[in-house]
PDB file of all heavy atoms in Angstrom:
ATOM      1  N   HIS A 229       4.352  -3.808   6.344  1.00 98.00           N
ATOM      2  CA  HIS A 229       4.215  -3.705   4.854  1.00 98.00           C
ATOM      3  C   HIS A 229       5.445  -2.886   4.428  1.00 98.00           C
ATOM      4  O   HIS A 229       5.512  -1.662   4.576  1.00 98.00           O
ATOM      5  CB  HIS A 229       2.948  -3.071   4.482  1.00 98.00           C
ATOM      6  CG  HIS A 229       2.774  -2.830   3.028  1.00 98.00           C
ATOM      7  ND1 HIS A 229       1.865  -3.544   2.239  1.00 98.00           N
ATOM      8  CD2 HIS A 229       3.435  -1.990   2.125  1.00 98.00           C
ATOM      9  CE1 HIS A 229       1.971  -3.138   1.007  1.00 98.00           C
ATOM     10  NE2 HIS A 229       2.855  -2.233   0.860  1.00 98.00           N
ATOM     11  N   LEU A 230       6.519  -3.596   3.889  1.00 98.00           N
ATOM     12  CA  LEU A 230       7.716  -2.849   3.471  1.00 98.00           C
ATOM     13  C   LEU A 230       7.894  -3.009   2.011  1.00 98.00           C
ATOM     14  O   LEU A 230       8.248  -4.061   1.401  1.00 98.00           O
ATOM     15  CB  LEU A 230       8.883  -3.518   4.186  1.00 98.00           C
ATOM     16  CG  LEU A 230       8.807  -3.703   5.704  1.00 98.00           C
ATOM     17  CD1 LEU A 230       9.960  -4.530   6.236  1.00 98.00           C
ATOM     18  CD2 LEU A 230       8.654  -2.392   6.466  1.00 98.00           C
ATOM     19  N   GLY A 231       7.626  -1.869   1.319  1.00 96.00           N
ATOM     20  CA  GLY A 231       7.777  -1.796  -0.172  1.00 96.00           C
ATOM     21  C   GLY A 231       8.462  -0.569  -0.503  1.00 96.00           C
ATOM     22  O   GLY A 231       9.314  -0.015   0.241  1.00 96.00           O
ATOM     23  N   ASN A 232       8.166  -0.044  -1.630  1.00 93.00           N
ATOM     24  CA  ASN A 232       8.618   1.282  -2.036  1.00 93.00           C
ATOM     25  C   ASN A 232       8.162   2.309  -1.051  1.00 93.00           C
ATOM     26  O   ASN A 232       8.792   3.158  -0.634  1.00 93.00           O
ATOM     27  CB  ASN A 232       8.130   1.576  -3.399  1.00 93.00           C
ATOM     28  CG  ASN A 232       8.948   2.643  -4.099  1.00 93.00           C
ATOM     29  OD1 ASN A 232      10.059   2.868  -3.716  1.00 93.00           O
ATOM     30  ND2 ASN A 232       8.358   3.380  -5.030  1.00 93.00           N
ATOM     31  N   GLY A 233       6.796   2.217  -0.695  1.00 95.00           N
ATOM     32  CA  GLY A 233       6.317   2.884   0.479  1.00 95.00           C
ATOM     33  C   GLY A 233       6.211   1.860   1.537  1.00 95.00           C
ATOM     34  O   GLY A 233       5.841   0.669   1.230  1.00 95.00           O
ATOM     35  N   PHE A 295      15.878   6.116   1.110  1.00 97.00           N
ATOM     36  CA  PHE A 295      17.078   5.328   0.800  1.00 97.00           C
ATOM     37  C   PHE A 295      17.918   6.155  -0.269  1.00 97.00           C
ATOM     38  O   PHE A 295      19.116   6.192  -0.238  1.00 97.00           O
ATOM     39  CB  PHE A 295      16.714   4.020   0.052  1.00 97.00           C
ATOM     40  CG  PHE A 295      15.864   3.078   0.863  1.00 97.00           C
ATOM     41  CD1 PHE A 295      14.873   2.323   0.228  1.00 97.00           C
ATOM     42  CD2 PHE A 295      15.925   3.029   2.190  1.00 97.00           C
ATOM     43  CE1 PHE A 295      13.998   1.503   0.875  1.00 97.00           C
ATOM     44  CE2 PHE A 295      15.081   2.162   2.873  1.00 97.00           C
ATOM     45  CZ  PHE A 295      14.148   1.436   2.238  1.00 97.00           C
ATOM     46  N   SER A 303      16.570   4.590  -4.977  1.00 95.00           N
ATOM     47  CA  SER A 303      15.401   4.425  -4.088  1.00 95.00           C
ATOM     48  C   SER A 303      14.979   2.984  -4.069  1.00 95.00           C
ATOM     49  O   SER A 303      14.127   2.557  -3.185  1.00 95.00           O
ATOM     50  CB  SER A 303      14.187   5.278  -4.545  1.00 95.00           C
ATOM     51  OG  SER A 303      13.818   4.795  -5.863  1.00 95.00           O
ATOM     52  N   ASP A 304      15.592   2.150  -4.859  1.00 95.00           N
ATOM     53  CA  ASP A 304      15.250   0.727  -4.927  1.00 95.00           C
ATOM     54  C   ASP A 304      16.125  -0.036  -4.034  1.00 95.00           C
ATOM     55  O   ASP A 304      17.373  -0.061  -4.138  1.00 95.00           O
ATOM     56  CB  ASP A 304      15.413   0.241  -6.401  1.00 95.00           C
ATOM     57  CG  ASP A 304      14.795  -1.135  -6.655  1.00 95.00           C
ATOM     58  OD1 ASP A 304      15.222  -2.069  -5.838  1.00 95.00           O
ATOM     59  OD2 ASP A 304      14.018  -1.320  -7.554  1.00 95.00           O
ATOM     60  N   LEU A 305      15.519  -0.763  -3.128  1.00 95.00           N
ATOM     61  CA  LEU A 305      16.327  -1.467  -2.102  1.00 95.00           C
ATOM     62  C   LEU A 305      17.229  -2.572  -2.641  1.00 95.00           C
ATOM     63  O   LEU A 305      18.191  -3.029  -2.111  1.00 95.00           O
ATOM     64  CB  LEU A 305      15.485  -2.012  -0.885  1.00 95.00           C
ATOM     65  CG  LEU A 305      16.259  -2.184   0.423  1.00 95.00           C
ATOM     66  CD1 LEU A 305      16.676  -0.849   0.992  1.00 95.00           C
ATOM     67  CD2 LEU A 305      15.549  -2.997   1.358  1.00 95.00           C
ATOM     68  N   ARG A 306      16.802  -3.092  -3.833  1.00 95.00           N
ATOM     69  CA  ARG A 306      17.691  -4.155  -4.427  1.00 95.00           C
ATOM     70  C   ARG A 306      19.075  -3.541  -4.815  1.00 95.00           C
ATOM     71  O   ARG A 306      20.072  -4.253  -4.546  1.00 95.00           O
ATOM     72  CB  ARG A 306      17.080  -4.581  -5.778  1.00 95.00           C
ATOM     73  CG  ARG A 306      16.266  -5.888  -5.537  1.00 95.00           C
ATOM     74  CD  ARG A 306      15.441  -6.154  -6.732  1.00 95.00           C
ATOM     75  NE  ARG A 306      14.401  -5.131  -6.953  1.00 95.00           N
ATOM     76  CZ  ARG A 306      13.352  -5.330  -7.685  1.00 95.00           C
ATOM     77  NH1 ARG A 306      13.066  -6.435  -8.277  1.00 95.00           N
ATOM     78  NH2 ARG A 306      12.421  -4.327  -7.775  1.00 95.00           N
ATOM     79  N   GLU A 307      19.131  -2.328  -5.256  1.00 96.00           N
ATOM     80  CA  GLU A 307      20.465  -1.707  -5.553  1.00 96.00           C
ATOM     81  C   GLU A 307      21.134  -1.362  -4.286  1.00 96.00           C
ATOM     82  O   GLU A 307      22.361  -1.411  -4.325  1.00 96.00           O
ATOM     83  CB  GLU A 307      20.152  -0.450  -6.496  1.00 96.00           C
ATOM     84  CG  GLU A 307      19.820  -0.860  -7.874  1.00 96.00           C
ATOM     85  CD  GLU A 307      19.517   0.378  -8.722  1.00 96.00           C
ATOM     86  OE1 GLU A 307      20.246   1.314  -8.682  1.00 96.00           O
ATOM     87  OE2 GLU A 307      18.427   0.273  -9.461  1.00 96.00           O
ATOM     88  N   GLU A 309      20.896  -2.978  -1.583  1.00 95.00           N
ATOM     89  CA  GLU A 309      21.330  -4.351  -1.041  1.00 95.00           C
ATOM     90  C   GLU A 309      22.731  -4.734  -1.708  1.00 95.00           C
ATOM     91  O   GLU A 309      23.605  -5.113  -1.024  1.00 95.00           O
ATOM     92  CB  GLU A 309      20.258  -5.391  -1.447  1.00 95.00           C
ATOM     93  CG  GLU A 309      20.421  -6.725  -0.830  1.00 95.00           C
ATOM     94  CD  GLU A 309      19.284  -7.712  -1.253  1.00 95.00           C
ATOM     95  OE1 GLU A 309      18.219  -7.247  -1.720  1.00 95.00           O
ATOM     96  OE2 GLU A 309      19.508  -8.894  -1.164  1.00 95.00           O
ATOM     97  N   ALA A 351       5.010  -7.384   1.342  1.00 97.00           N
ATOM     98  CA  ALA A 351       5.388  -6.407   0.209  1.00 97.00           C
ATOM     99  C   ALA A 351       6.801  -6.647  -0.238  1.00 97.00           C
ATOM    100  O   ALA A 351       7.493  -7.512   0.268  1.00 97.00           O
ATOM    101  CB  ALA A 351       5.161  -4.973   0.598  1.00 97.00           C
ATOM    102  N   GLY A 352       7.179  -5.902  -1.289  1.00 96.00           N
ATOM    103  CA  GLY A 352       8.512  -6.115  -2.021  1.00 96.00           C
ATOM    104  C   GLY A 352       9.688  -6.483  -1.048  1.00 96.00           C
ATOM    105  O   GLY A 352      10.351  -7.422  -1.192  1.00 96.00           O
ATOM    106  N   ILE A 353       9.949  -5.570  -0.096  1.00 97.00           N
ATOM    107  CA  ILE A 353      11.058  -5.726   0.775  1.00 97.00           C
ATOM    108  C   ILE A 353      10.723  -6.796   1.797  1.00 97.00           C
ATOM    109  O   ILE A 353      11.574  -7.644   2.088  1.00 97.00           O
ATOM    110  CB  ILE A 353      11.421  -4.402   1.493  1.00 97.00           C
ATOM    111  CG1 ILE A 353      11.835  -3.359   0.478  1.00 97.00           C
ATOM    112  CG2 ILE A 353      12.485  -4.641   2.542  1.00 97.00           C
ATOM    113  CD1 ILE A 353      11.929  -1.940   0.924  1.00 97.00           C
ATOM    114  N   ASN A 356      10.945 -10.228   0.337  1.00 97.00           N
ATOM    115  CA  ASN A 356      12.165 -10.573  -0.376  1.00 97.00           C
ATOM    116  C   ASN A 356      13.480 -10.321   0.276  1.00 97.00           C
ATOM    117  O   ASN A 356      14.514 -10.901  -0.164  1.00 97.00           O
ATOM    118  CB  ASN A 356      12.134  -9.847  -1.771  1.00 97.00           C
ATOM    119  CG  ASN A 356      11.045 -10.370  -2.748  1.00 97.00           C
ATOM    120  OD1 ASN A 356      11.192 -11.537  -3.155  1.00 97.00           O
ATOM    121  ND2 ASN A 356      10.164  -9.544  -3.019  1.00 97.00           N
ATOM    122  N   ASN A 357      13.522  -9.386   1.239  1.00 98.00           N
ATOM    123  CA  ASN A 357      14.785  -9.024   1.789  1.00 98.00           C
ATOM    124  C   ASN A 357      15.096  -9.688   3.130  1.00 98.00           C
ATOM    125  O   ASN A 357      14.576  -9.232   4.142  1.00 98.00           O
ATOM    126  CB  ASN A 357      14.940  -7.552   1.877  1.00 98.00           C
ATOM    127  CG  ASN A 357      16.305  -7.136   2.110  1.00 98.00           C
ATOM    128  OD1 ASN A 357      16.913  -7.516   3.169  1.00 98.00           O
ATOM    129  ND2 ASN A 357      16.898  -6.256   1.290  1.00 98.00           N
ATOM    130  N   ARG A 383      13.367 -15.763  -0.605  1.00 97.00           N
ATOM    131  CA  ARG A 383      12.836 -14.652  -1.267  1.00 97.00           C
ATOM    132  C   ARG A 383      11.534 -15.029  -1.916  1.00 97.00           C
ATOM    133  O   ARG A 383      11.470 -16.071  -2.598  1.00 97.00           O
ATOM    134  CB  ARG A 383      13.815 -14.227  -2.406  1.00 97.00           C
ATOM    135  CG  ARG A 383      15.001 -13.422  -1.940  1.00 97.00           C
ATOM    136  CD  ARG A 383      15.786 -12.928  -3.168  1.00 97.00           C
ATOM    137  NE  ARG A 383      17.204 -12.603  -2.810  1.00 97.00           N
ATOM    138  CZ  ARG A 383      17.647 -11.402  -2.440  1.00 97.00           C
ATOM    139  NH1 ARG A 383      16.759 -10.402  -2.383  1.00 97.00           N
ATOM    140  NH2 ARG A 383      18.807 -11.203  -2.071  1.00 97.00           N
TER     141      ARG A 383
HETATM  142  P1  AMP B 526       6.740  -2.817  -3.626  1.00 74.72           P
HETATM  143  O1  AMP B 526       6.427  -1.410  -3.486  1.00 74.72           O
HETATM  144  O2  AMP B 526       5.956  -3.706  -2.718  1.00 74.72           O
HETATM  145  O3  AMP B 526       6.656  -3.355  -5.145  1.00 74.72           O
HETATM  146  O4  AMP B 526       8.281  -3.094  -3.199  1.00 74.72           O
HETATM  147  C1  AMP B 526       9.356  -2.431  -3.870  1.00 74.72           C
HETATM  148  C2  AMP B 526      10.582  -2.670  -3.060  1.00 74.72           C
HETATM  149  O5  AMP B 526      10.804  -4.004  -2.859  1.00 74.72           O
HETATM  150  C3  AMP B 526      11.834  -2.082  -3.752  1.00 74.72           C
HETATM  151  O6  AMP B 526      12.679  -1.443  -2.849  1.00 74.72           O
HETATM  152  C4  AMP B 526      12.574  -3.385  -4.245  1.00 74.72           C
HETATM  153  O7  AMP B 526      13.927  -3.199  -4.303  1.00 74.72           O
HETATM  154  C5  AMP B 526      12.185  -4.417  -3.224  1.00 74.72           C
HETATM  155  N1  AMP B 526      12.123  -5.731  -3.924  1.00 74.72           N
HETATM  156  C6  AMP B 526      11.200  -6.166  -4.781  1.00 74.72           C
HETATM  157  N2  AMP B 526      11.571  -7.413  -5.200  1.00 74.72           N
HETATM  158  C7  AMP B 526      12.684  -7.749  -4.595  1.00 74.72           C
HETATM  159  C8  AMP B 526      13.558  -8.882  -4.579  1.00 74.72           C
HETATM  160  N3  AMP B 526      13.314  -9.962  -5.384  1.00 74.72           N
HETATM  161  N4  AMP B 526      14.645  -8.912  -3.850  1.00 74.72           N
HETATM  162  C9  AMP B 526      14.900  -7.852  -3.036  1.00 74.72           C
HETATM  163  N5  AMP B 526      14.173  -6.741  -2.982  1.00 74.72           N
HETATM  164  C10 AMP B 526      13.091  -6.636  -3.716  1.00 74.72           C
END
Side-chain angles (χ1 to χ4, degrees):
H229 176 111
L230 310 173
N232 198 25
F295 306 144
S303 62
D304 190 306
L305 204 69
R306 264 167 295 200
E307 287 177 44
E309 192 180 338
I353 297 168
N356 290 295
N357 190 303
R383 282 189 201 265

